[in-house]
Amino acid sequence: MTTTTELTLFADYFQIHVSDADSDGDLSGAWTNQAVADHLAVTRDALGIGTAVNANVSVTVAVLRQEPSDDSSEFDHVVEASLNASLGRLTVLGCTDYAPDAATFQVPPGWNRVRVSRSNLARATRASIDSDESPETTEKIRIQVWPATELPAETIKRWSQPGDEFSA
């Protein structure tokens, strides 16, 4: 059975976080040049998802039983990483949100795979801080989580905005 939840999160500092509910969520050392290019900072129990805007973003969280099919052609940017949810609870929140108030999701305890698929990035970037004023310009992020063994982070599809010095 799939559990899907819709959220609106403020992507302060151009990021949102997914972490084990017991994590301190410290991603400060994980934002390397490569992580910035990939829009994904990874630690054992937390992920920082880079966003195109410093505004509200639309987030869909889907907790799945197994790996979903590849639909990356429908998105601008897609990355995956493993995350250890020791307690079987993940939190999803904006970078500066108060963790005890964050949305929490039940997942299998231990390693899970997280696929982050982002869309509407060019329109959101053009609208900048006003991007969240209309659904046509709001950045959309889908986070899919399923049980899986630990694997290295992977960029499945890369989006680069014009002038992005880290584009590959």
Side-chain angles (χ1 to χ4, degrees), residues 13 18 65 124 167:
Y13 298 101
V18 177
R65 288 182 165 203
S167 61

Side-chain angles (χ1 to χ4, degrees), residues 89-100:
R89 292 189 347 257
L90 290 183
T91 58
V92 178
L93 65 162
C95 169
T96 57
D97 288 347
Y98 183 55

Side-chain angles (χ1 to χ4, degrees), residues 52-106:
V53 295
N54 189 42
N56 285 327
V57 294
S58 174
V59 179
T60 301
V61 179
V63 178
L64 312 168
R65 288 182 165 203
Q66 62 189 25
E67 181 177 358
S69 60
D70 178 11
D71 61 358
S72 57
S73 63
E74 298 175 26
F75 294 89
D76 299 324
H77 189 85
V78 181
V79 292
E80 281 187 10
S82 295
L83 188 144
N84 188 357
S86 63
L87 301 176
R89 292 189 347 257
L90 290 183
T91 58
V92 178
L93 65 162
C95 169
T96 57
D97 288 347
Y98 183 55
D101 292 341
T104 304
F105 300 88
Q106 292 297 126

